[in-house]
């Protein structure tokens, strides 16, 4: 077990290097980088003021930038060094979890992540809990009632919910319940009310949850189908196995067979994937949902960073999310071993030897 964990940890290094290398190389060929944006802003500023201001600096900016000014701009963003030196410096900083500073927000990438993380965590964790609390019992019920009208009707509802994009559903919810053309039951934007500071502790909790209702509903409506069908198929597979028939032949009650044997084995894939799902839920900030409900989370941060070519934020967040994703996958594998003693990592390789 320990040997397997060490191997997985060592394998994370080339995976991270590969992700960063590919992203870094792609970024080098993306047009409209920070240097080009700064040059364009200086030229636009100079041309806009040249008619009313005849100072030497403005006139020079209107005509173009000198080589010295262009070199200063490149040095400001670190583009005065070769690409391989910049990549190597980035790797050394990332090894010490120094993600650098944003070029346009004038803050460290780490501070930006921690600032936006609560919003994405609120959406992700709430949607994850709601999905599991509804989808798992529904999947079990569909497995037990396989082929009945209940199974057919719920499958139809799940497919309709899965087919509706979350953004479209969010617009419909705002129109219906956000004070559009019908009822004003839920707030339109943000996660807190204007008088949030004056509320009691319980009032703050209820206000926060009340603001989450519409965006979380829009996010999870389509996510029920996959988990529900996974749960149903997992339980159906266990129900049709030989040990269930043997248990019935021994005279065990259906209740005991289900909870002691079927449930424990069928729920294994769901429980094992939970650590990875929890970590992923921290960063499930949906750009469209955050934009629609005016939520300043990681999804909006990533989009704005890509559009503004804020490469330290783009690469820093990518590194952070990839690292946590690999850790989540490792925790899921470890949980599989702990919950199912029959699984032994390395057993296949040892047997082959």
């Amino acid at each position: 077990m320990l040997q397997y964990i060490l191997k997985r940890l060592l394998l994370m290094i080339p995976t991270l290097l590969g992700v960063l290398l590919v992203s870094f190389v792609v970024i080098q060929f993306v047009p409209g980088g920070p240097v080009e944006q700064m040059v364009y802003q200086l030229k636009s500023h100079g041309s806009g003021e040249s008619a009313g201001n005849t100072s030497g600096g403005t006139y020079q900016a209107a005509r173009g930038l000198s080589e010295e000014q262009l070199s200063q701009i490149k040095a400001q963003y670190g583009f005065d060094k070769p690409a391989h030196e910049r990549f190597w410096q980035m790797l050394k900083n990332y090894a010490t979890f120094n993600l650098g500073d944003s070029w346009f927000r004038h803050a460290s990438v780490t501070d930006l992540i921690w600032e936006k993380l609560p919003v994405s965590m609120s959406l992700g964790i709430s949607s994850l809990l709601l999905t599991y609390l509804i989808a798992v019992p529904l999947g079990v019920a569909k497995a037990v009632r396989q082929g009945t009208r209940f199974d057919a009707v719920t499958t139809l509802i799940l497919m309709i919910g899965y087919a509706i994009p979350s953004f479209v559903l969010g617009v419909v919810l705002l129109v219906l319940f956000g004070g559009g053309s019908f009822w004003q039951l839920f707030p339109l934007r943000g996660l807190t009310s204007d008088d949030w500071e004056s509320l009691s502790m319980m009032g703050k909790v209820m206000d926060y949850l009340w603001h989450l209702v519409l965006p979380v509903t829009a996010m999870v409506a389509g996510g029920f189908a996959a988990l529900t069908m996974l749960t149903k198929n997992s339980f159906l597979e266990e129900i049709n196995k030989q040990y269930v028939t043997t248990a019935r032949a021994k005279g065990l009650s259906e209740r005991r067979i289900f909870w002691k044997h079927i449930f424990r084995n069928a729920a294994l894939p769901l429980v094992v994937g939970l650590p990875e799902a929890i970590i992923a839920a921290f960063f499930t900030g949906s750009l469209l949902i955050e934009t629609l409900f005016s939520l300043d989370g990681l999804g909006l941060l990533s989009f704005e960073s890509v559009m503004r070519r804020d490469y330290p934020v783009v690469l820093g967040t990518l590194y952070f999310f990839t690292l946590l994703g690999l850790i989540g996958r490792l925790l899921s594998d470890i949980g599989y071993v702990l919950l199912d003693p029959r699984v032994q990592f390395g057993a296949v390789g040892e047997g082959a030897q």
Side-chain angles (χ1 to χ4, degrees):
M1 182 68 173
L2 181 60
Q3 184 180 4
Y4 172 78
I5 295 176
L6 292 176
K7 289 181 179 179
R8 287 291 299 271
L9 291 175
L10 291 176
L11 285 175
M12 289 183 184
I13 298 177
T15 303
L16 285 173
L17 289 176
V19 171
L20 292 175
L21 178 60
V22 172
S23 303
F24 185 85
V25 171
V26 171
I27 282 176
Q28 306 310 306
F29 298 98
V30 176
V35 175
E36 291 84 352
Q37 292 186 31
M38 180 61 70
V39 170
Y40 176 79
Q41 290 176 8
L42 291 176
K43 288 184 177 181
S44 300
H45 177 73
S47 60
E49 292 185 356
S50 59
N53 188 349
T54 58
S55 62
T58 303
Y59 179 73
Q60 185 179 17
R63 294 179 60 185
L65 300 176
S66 64
E67 290 295 331
E68 182 180 357
Q69 289 176 312
L70 186 59
S71 299
Q72 291 177 354
I73 296 175
K74 289 183 178 180
Q76 178 182 352
Y77 295 108
F79 284 89
D80 57 329
K81 300 178 181 179
H84 67 277
E85 291 186 12
R86 289 186 278 118
F87 182 71
W88 176 246
Q89 183 62 43
M90 182 187 71
L91 293 182
K92 291 193 296 184
N93 292 336
Y94 285 4
T96 59
F97 295 97
N98 178 15
L99 304 183
D101 299 323
S102 171
W103 287 336
F104 300 100
R105 294 176 179 267
H106 306 292
S108 68
V109 177
T110 303
D111 291 340
L112 289 174
I113 292 176
W114 286 113
E115 179 185 348
K116 311 298 182 183
L117 187 58
V119 175
S120 296
M121 283 183 60
S122 300
L123 294 174
I125 295 298
S126 300
S127 61
L128 177 66
L129 290 176
L130 190 61
T131 300
Y132 266 79
L133 289 176
I134 296 179
V136 172
L138 180 59
V140 173
K142 287 174 64 63
V144 174
R145 304 177 184 179
Q146 165 72 2
T148 63
R149 179 178 298 179
F150 171 82
D151 183 34
V153 172
T154 53
T155 299
L156 177 62
I157 296 175
L158 288 173
M159 292 301 102
I160 294 176
Y162 184 76
I164 299 177
S166 59
F167 181 74
V168 175
L169 180 59
V171 174
V172 173
L173 292 176
L174 282 178
V175 172
L176 290 177
F177 306 109
S181 303
F182 297 90
W183 306 280
Q184 187 172 359
L185 301 179
F186 299 96
L188 287 173
R189 63 190 65 218
L191 288 178
T192 57
S193 301
D194 295 335
D195 59 343
W196 191 78
E197 294 294 339
S198 62
L199 298 176
S200 62
M201 181 59 66
M202 182 58 65
K204 290 181 178 179
V205 173
M206 296 304 298
D207 181 74
Y208 198 82
L209 295 177
W210 198 245
H211 280 75
L212 284 175
V213 172
L214 293 186
V216 169
T217 301
M219 287 182 63
V220 304
F224 287 135
L227 185 59
T228 301
M229 299 309 296
L230 174 63
T231 304
K232 174 187 174 181
N233 294 333
S234 179
F235 274 82
L236 283 178
E237 182 180 357
E238 295 297 324
I239 290 174
N240 295 324
K241 285 187 176 180
Q242 184 63 38
Y243 74 88
V244 176
T245 305
T246 303
R248 288 171 178 165
K250 292 181 177 180
L252 297 179
S253 64
E254 291 292 330
R255 182 182 183 87
R256 185 173 181 179
I257 294 174
F258 181 83
W259 291 108
K260 188 175 180 179
H261 300 284
I262 297 176
F263 186 86
R264 185 176 66 177
N265 294 326
L268 186 60
L270 305 176
V271 177
V272 166
L274 194 57
E276 186 178 1
I278 292 176
I279 293 180
F282 290 172
F283 315 106
T284 54
S286 172
L287 169 63
L288 296 178
I289 295 298
E290 291 181 7
T291 303
L292 180 63
F293 292 95
S294 300
L295 304 176
D296 192 9
L298 291 173
L300 193 58
L301 173 65
S302 301
F303 174 75
E304 292 178 349
S305 300
V306 172
M307 295 302 296
R308 300 189 66 177
R309 305 299 192 267
D310 198 347
Y311 298 146
V313 179
V314 174
L315 292 172
T317 53
L318 178 65
Y319 167 75
F320 188 57
F321 298 162
T322 304
L323 178 60
L324 289 182
L326 293 173
I327 294 176
R329 179 61 60 88
L330 176 59
L331 292 177
S332 296
D333 292 343
I334 295 175
Y336 209 108
V337 176
L338 296 178
L339 293 175
D340 191 350
R342 297 172 298 177
V343 177
Q344 295 293 332
F345 290 116
V348 176
E350 294 173 0
Q353 294 176 358

